């Protein structure tokens, strides 16, 4: 065992994962009902710890605390620079605990430690980015009207906002919502994915340590149908930012209608990666393999459908087979592991059932091999579905695992039509050295985000999100702060004695 691995394993083993409570009004508390649920480790399928199960009563308590903190607490009256000191302090504390957070994330999700370490570093940057963004950019506009009026806008926080997150890349996704929500002056209730509560609890500990006033940030663990549903319907919650499955997003929109909430939806995907015969095939190969097999394939923007031009298909497929055979499957705590176990047994069974379906639909299935010593975990090996056609269910439905469907194409028109013939529209990737074609494809593929000759490289300033069944609204950059977490208020100022109609002044 190399020393680095031994180091991580010892830390992980010796780290007793404490049971987790809810974080409400600045205190770690049990659920009102006293009920807990078990949090299972995807690598061992043993219990990591027990988690307090928040339900409607706990959610109500958290909302009341957040409402008080927004309306009467000091949060709303802080100077921006003081608020940003808190935001930057959170980032510094994340940096101090990067290793611990990465270990917890890997224990909880099965994501390889080398990948969770990168994500944690990015999570700290989420807070710094929004601190800079709010200070530099969150200002309104002035609209002078001749010499009669000066109209101007200011941007106000919404109040209590609810953040509902999934289990894939939880710390990254949670901080991406929490950072802009707090930086713009809202108070927050986070309902994390029930399968990945550990780092949300860590975030609560960090925010507690950063000294934010009570009630500004709250975490209510629990299930979607109870805790999540109450957050969505609660009349005092002004907005819900949701990341998760398309069907859940649709339920949330329906359930939030009675209280007329603002919602933001980051949903599923089935993104195409298109490789033309003139592309840099070595780089395209690296990107295609990383894009579906990193994060254990549990990545919303993964290139689940790979379209290969017929002239390069055989060569590319041969190289894919070689990579799939070599991908290192193993213990998520091993820094050399490239692919870890899937989040839970239910998801594992779902992904496996799609691989069986692929065979029935006529695909040739090529897979890596799961080593015998890790068979207790929820491992699905890296999988290629060869000879796929776009109309197959395995090409239409989100599998959300390490499964790449490979589809041959001949013409540009044909591949655009196939890429778009799917209900999702989150991301797309095109590989070509023809600059005109690259742009043409990028414009034609129905997706919120397209990369030309690149994998999914993050830029915090860009609008992140999808079209069609992949979402409504955008996160990231100034989109988060202007379009979601604040509202413009316009103030009309009369500069002189402009005309006012004088109803009732003339005697009848
Ligand atoms: P999910 O929809 O099952 O759950 C997400 C969250 O919603 C969880 O916290 C869950 O408890 C909660 N929830 C479930 N039912 C609810 C309800 N009725 N009311 C309120 N909350 C409810 O999703 P998941 O399986 O945890 O995550 C995987 C999905 O997330 C995939 O579809 C993936 O593509 C998507 N995702 C999208 C993005 C993006 O940015 N577009 C990013 C990551 C993941």
């Amino acid at each position: 065992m190399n020393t680095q691995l031994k180091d991580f394993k010892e830390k992980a083993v010796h780290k007793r994962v404490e049971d987790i409570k809810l974080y409400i009004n600045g205190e770690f508390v049990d659920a009102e009902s006293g009920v807990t649920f078990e949090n299972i480790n995807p690598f061992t399928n043993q219990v990591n710890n027990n988690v307090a199960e928040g339900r409607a009563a706990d959610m109500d308590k958290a909302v009341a605390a957040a409402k008080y903190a927004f309306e009467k607490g000091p949060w709303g009256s802080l100077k921006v620079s003081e608020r940003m000191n808190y935001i930057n302090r959170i980032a510094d504390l994340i940096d101090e605990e990067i290793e611990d957070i990465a270990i917890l994330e890997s224990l909880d999700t099965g994501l390889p430690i080398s990948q969770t370490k990168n994500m944690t570093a990015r999570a700290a940057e989420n807070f710094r980015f929004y601190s800079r963004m709010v200070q530099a950019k969150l200002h309104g506009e002035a609209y002078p009207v001749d010499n009669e009026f000066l109209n101007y806008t200011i941007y106000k926080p919404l109040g209590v906002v609810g953040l509902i997150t999934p289990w894939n890349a939880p710390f990254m996704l949670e901080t991406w919502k929490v950072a802009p929500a707090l930086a713009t002056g809202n108070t927050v209730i986070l309902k994390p994915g029930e399968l990945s509560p550990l780092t949300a609890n860590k975030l609560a500990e960090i925010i507690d340590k950063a000294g934010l006033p009570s009630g500004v940030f709250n975490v209510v663990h629990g299930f979607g149908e109870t805790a999540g549903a109450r957050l969505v319907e609660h009349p005092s919650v002004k907005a819900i930012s949701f990341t998760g499955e398309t069907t859940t997003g649709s339920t949330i929109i329906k359930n939030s209608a009675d209280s007329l909430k603002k919602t933001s939806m980051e949903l599923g995907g089935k993104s195409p990666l298109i490789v033309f015969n003139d592309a840099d095939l070595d780089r395209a190969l690296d990107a295609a393999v990383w894009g579906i097999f990193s994060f254990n394939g549990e990545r919303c923007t993964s290139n689940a459908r790979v379209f290969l031009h017929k002239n390069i298909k055989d060569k590319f497929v041969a190289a894919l087979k070689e990579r799939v055979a070599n991908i290192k499957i193993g213990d998520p705590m091993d820094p050399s592991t490239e692919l870890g176990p899937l989040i839970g047994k239910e998801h594992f069974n779902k992904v496996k059932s799609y691989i069986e379906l692929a065979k029935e639909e006529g695909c040739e299935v090529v897979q890596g091999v799961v080593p015998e010593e890790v068979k207790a975990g929820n491992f699905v090996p890296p999988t290629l579905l060869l000879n796929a056609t776009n109309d197959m269910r395995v090409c239409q439905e989100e599998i959300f695992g390490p499964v790449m469907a490979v589809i041959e194409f001949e013409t540009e028109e044909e591949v655009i039509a196939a890429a778009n013939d799917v209900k999702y529209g989150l991301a797309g990737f095109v590989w070509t050295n023809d600059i005109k074609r690259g742009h043409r494809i990028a414009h034609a593929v129905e997706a919120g985000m397209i990369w030309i000759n690149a994998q999914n490289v993050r830029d915090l300033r860009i609008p992140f999100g999808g079209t069609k069944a992949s979402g409504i609204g955008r996160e990231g950059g100034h989109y988060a702060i202007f379009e979601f977490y604040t509202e413009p208020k316009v103030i009309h100022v009369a500069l002189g004695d402009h005309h006012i109609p004088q109803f009732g002044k003339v005697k009848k």
Side-chain angles (χ1 to χ4, degrees):
M1 196 186 287
N2 70 41
T3 28
Q4 215 186 353
L5 165 60
K6 191 161 168 286
D7 222 42
F8 271 116
K9 279 200 149 170
E10 276 179 3
K11 278 198 184 112
V13 169
H14 290 207
K15 189 174 179 54
R16 194 174 107 65
V17 186
E18 306 277 346
D19 288 350
I20 286 180
K21 298 188 178 199
L22 314 177
Y23 182 64
I24 298 178
N25 205 20
E27 287 181 8
F28 290 90
V29 294
D30 290 320
E32 291 279 299
S33 64
V35 173
T36 60
F37 64 94
E38 288 180 338
N39 176 31
I40 308 294
N41 179 325
F43 180 57
T44 60
N45 274 306
Q46 305 291 312
V47 177
N48 262 337
N49 64 347
N50 291 309
V51 182
E53 189 199 320
R55 293 181 182 168
D58 306 286
M59 201 49 93
D60 289 354
K61 237 169 66 175
V63 174
K67 190 169 188 294
Y68 185 89
F70 183 76
E71 290 171 359
K72 308 224 165 58
W75 194 240
S77 53
L78 284 183
K79 286 185 175 168
V80 172
S81 59
E82 289 169 339
R83 198 162 75 230
M84 294 317 141
N85 286 342
Y86 284 115
I87 301 298
N88 288 317
R89 173 106 181 98
I90 296 170
D92 292 346
L93 288 169
I94 291 175
D95 276 345
E96 281 173 24
E97 306 222 27
I98 277 188
E99 203 157 275
D100 238 28
I101 298 169
I103 289 172
L104 288 173
E105 191 88 312
S106 290
L107 277 177
D108 219 4
T109 60
L111 292 175
I113 191 82
S114 58
Q115 297 172 31
T116 54
K117 272 187 91 174
N118 280 342
M119 279 194 284
T120 309
R122 283 160 39 174
E125 190 48 32
N126 287 337
F127 284 94
R128 295 204 176 91
F129 175 80
Y130 278 108
S131 159
R132 291 195 298 269
M133 193 79 191
V134 164
Q135 292 185 87
K137 297 272 186 204
L138 192 59
H139 51 73
E141 311 84 38
Y143 301 86
V145 184
D146 304 323
N147 285 328
E148 286 194 333
F149 275 95
L150 177 61
N151 304 331
Y152 66 92
T153 53
I154 55 175
Y155 283 83
K156 306 280 282 180
L158 304 176
V160 181
V161 299
L163 313 179
I164 302 182
T165 49
W167 46 259
N168 71 310
F171 196 67
M172 230 295 294
L173 293 173
E174 285 155 11
T175 53
W176 204 11
K177 292 183 192 294
V178 172
L182 290 179
T184 47
N186 298 284
T187 57
V188 168
I189 291 147
L190 170 65
K191 207 306 274 167
E194 55 270 33
L195 298 179
S196 60
L198 293 185
T199 49
N201 179 63
K202 189 72 184 174
L203 185 60
E205 288 174 359
I206 284 174
I207 288 183
D208 193 67
K209 202 164 163 191
L212 267 73
S214 301
V216 170
F217 178 72
N218 306 271
V219 180
V220 179
H221 300 281
F223 296 95
E225 297 72 16
T226 45
R230 180 60 187 151
L231 184 61
V232 168
E233 73 181 13
H234 200 295
S236 300
V237 176
K238 300 295 176 206
I240 295 285
S241 175
F242 172 74
T243 300
E245 279 188 20
T246 296
T247 48
T248 315
S250 155
T251 305
I252 288 178
I253 290 176
K254 282 183 208 131
N255 293 347
S256 62
D258 282 345
S259 51
L260 287 175
K261 277 188 182 53
K262 192 171 185 181
T263 56
S264 158
M265 295 285 143
E266 294 292 344
L267 309 174
K270 192 76 181 178
S271 301
L273 181 148
I274 303 168
V275 187
F276 282 92
N277 46 339
D278 64 352
D280 181 333
L281 296 186
D282 292 336
R283 288 178 63 76
L285 178 72
D286 288 340
V289 169
W290 180 86
I292 186 75
F293 300 125
S294 59
F295 288 16
N296 301 342
E298 297 161 326
R299 179 199 278 279
C300 56
T301 53
S302 75
N303 42 263
R305 294 180 297 150
V306 170
F307 293 90
L308 299 178
H309 189 272
K310 77 177 184 53
N311 292 354
I312 51 102
K313 190 192 108 189
D314 290 346
K315 188 176 171 199
F316 204 92
V317 166
L320 279 174
K321 285 181 176 170
E322 209 173 298
R323 290 293 182 94
V324 158
N326 282 332
I327 284 178
K328 181 138 190 315
I329 303 170
D331 184 344
M333 290 304 158
D334 182 340
S336 69
T337 291
E338 292 170 320
L339 190 96
L342 296 182
I343 186 76
K345 271 275 172 272
E346 197 181 321
H347 188 55
F348 168 79
N349 288 332
K350 175 182 148 187
V351 174
K352 297 259 284 192
S353 74
Y354 271 112
I355 294 169
E356 288 311 305
L357 175 66
K359 291 178 192 159
E360 286 165 29
E361 289 189 302
C363 293
E364 180 198 343
V365 174
V366 174
Q367 296 188 292
V369 178
V370 177
E372 204 50 48
E373 65 270 21
V374 299
K375 283 255 164 81
N378 307 319
F379 283 94
V380 170
T383 302
L384 302 174
L385 309 182
L386 302 178
N387 309 324
T389 55
N390 195 57
D391 57 344
M392 291 175 176
R393 275 185 58 202
V394 291
C395 292
Q396 292 290 317
E397 298 172 20
E398 187 182 44
I399 300 174
F400 216 55
V403 183
M404 177 199 287
V406 179
I407 304 164
E408 181 184 308
F409 75 93
E410 192 169 352
T411 67
E412 192 176 315
E413 296 69 31
E414 173 198 346
V415 77
I416 290 170
N420 289 340
D421 185 14
V422 72
K423 74 174 179 177
Y424 296 106
L426 187 57
F429 308 86
V430 53
W431 285 83
T432 176
N433 274 332
D434 177 341
I435 190 168
K436 292 188 225 158
R437 176 157 62 194
H439 285 279
R440 275 199 306 273
I441 299 281
H443 286 235
V445 170
E446 294 163 357
M449 301 168 284
I450 301 276
W451 280 264
I452 302 176
N453 295 335
Q455 79 282 31
N456 173 352
V457 182
R458 211 164 89 114
D459 175 347
L460 285 176
R461 298 164 303 171
I462 59 150
F464 185 98
T467 182
K468 294 159 79 175
S470 290
I472 302 175
R474 294 291 183 271
E475 295 195 278
H478 67 264
Y479 298 87
I481 60 173
F482 281 105
E483 290 178 15
F484 194 71
Y485 292 108
T486 63
E487 259 175 350
K489 175 186 267 189
V490 62
I491 296 164
H492 302 259
V493 185
L495 298 178
D497 296 331
H498 64 282
H499 170 72
I500 304 177
Q502 297 180 319
F503 277 28
K505 189 155 190 207
V506 179
K507 289 204 171 79
K508 279 187 195 156

